Amino acid sequence: MSKELGMTHKKSDLSEWYVEVVRKADLAEYSPVEGCIIIKPYGYAIWERIYEWLNERIKETGHKNVYFPLLIPERLLKKEAEHFEGFTPEVAWVTHGGKKKLNERLAIRPTSETIMYTTFSKWIRSYKDLPLKVNQWANIVRWETKMTKPFLRGREFLWQEGHTAHRTNEDADEEVEKMLNVYKELAEDVLAIPVLAGKKTDSEKFAGALYTMSIEGLMPDGKALQMGTSHNLGQHFSKVFDIKFSDEDEKKKHVWQTSWGVSTRLIGAVVMVHGDDKGLVLPPKVAPIQVVIVPIPSNERTVEEAQKLADALHPLRVEIDERERTPGFKFNDWELRGVPVRIELGEREIESGELTIFRRDTRERAKLLSKDAKEGIERILDEIQSNLFDRARKFLESRMDVAKSVDELVEKINEGKIVRAAVCPEHESKVKELCGATPRIISGRGKCIFCGKDCNEVWFAKTY
Ligand SMILES: [Zn+2]
């Protein structure tokens, strides 16, 4: 086994471990532009699994896909003041077309509300045009000044952004909740990552929104990761962009809007939550390769049997490793890449009709009769999927806590926990000063642990 192949960092050195896994499992590499990554085929294939699942749900819930331009004229971005203030610090601008300086700067989209809503005002005339429900799969540029990390924080990433317009606020509320639930299902059922879901405090809401809902996962170092957001934009944008409709009563009214999105950051979450000292561990539902068959040794007979087995396993995503490498090299390689199930197929297995199965999540071997391969492997993949979720859920639950005083909050945050505490809006920044934690989502009501005022009780954690 070459030195280059295996992991050198343990997961307990999370930061170094993470970067090493991303590189050695062939998910992504750095590009000549700082903060922008090249997503390699194996990493992109994970995104494709997410895309395929989510795209189907987006359509099932009544949305249609669209594509809007990458460039947004400055005057549009400026129209909604709060939104502009919120995004300006991280907007990248195009100032020249060829050698000619442009009369107006063009923003590379940090998000598409402004360019879409200018158009919505032309598309929407009557209540019959509502609801308008579209989604865009695109890339986004936000000029991060903080330290970047592949997938988790970068200057360019891929995402989808849903944008809808409704007749009433109630319809918008319903849409926001529906899409948040789709995201929760994506995180928990597909990525096997348990999340807390709920409303953000005003300080953490999307720039220009009435309110923001979010799903938050907890990473192994106790930092929360915002994995998806769903915003009720109220009528802020529709008033600024003049999106009006004539209602049944023939009165002109402004529409109520929502927007919601998830990004390639989800790939980073999967790496962080499930990986171990040996490398990546992928939930079967997003694994580009679910089963790898390693013929031992790789000869005509074993490869032919491997091919028969692969055919029998259809439509599972199966790969046969025919490389001229030692079994040990191959085993390490596939473990590093997090392939859920490995089948070791040698002369002995062929003779006995009994396969040797290796499970990546538990790193245990088991026997399985060749004739039951399809059923058996499907069952094992299901078990891996739920085992990964259960493991992550137990971890999350072990780190959820409550604080009744400031000292208790600081102490528990420093232990790497996500902590419920009542803190009024004026004292949120105090928490950040004391321990670096920020409000994640609202959990209920209580009396501020700083001043005793009635206020929201909020989940606090450090974040990515
Ligand atoms: Zn207070």
Side-chain angles (χ1 to χ4, degrees), residues 147-166:
M147 263 265 268
T148 61
K149 204 164 215 141
F151 297 116
L152 292 175
R153 182 177 294 282
R155 286 179 171 170
E156 180 182 5
F157 52 89
L158 303 179
W159 81 347
Q160 59 68 221
E161 48 181 321
H163 294 268
T164 67
H166 305 267

Side-chain angles (χ1 to χ4, degrees), residues 218-224 395 399 413 416-418 461-463:
L218 195 67
M219 301 300 111
D221 53 0
K223 285 186 186 170
F395 171 77
R399 297 292 184 102
I413 289 292
K417 287 179 168 169
I418 181 163
K462 294 182 185 174
T463 66

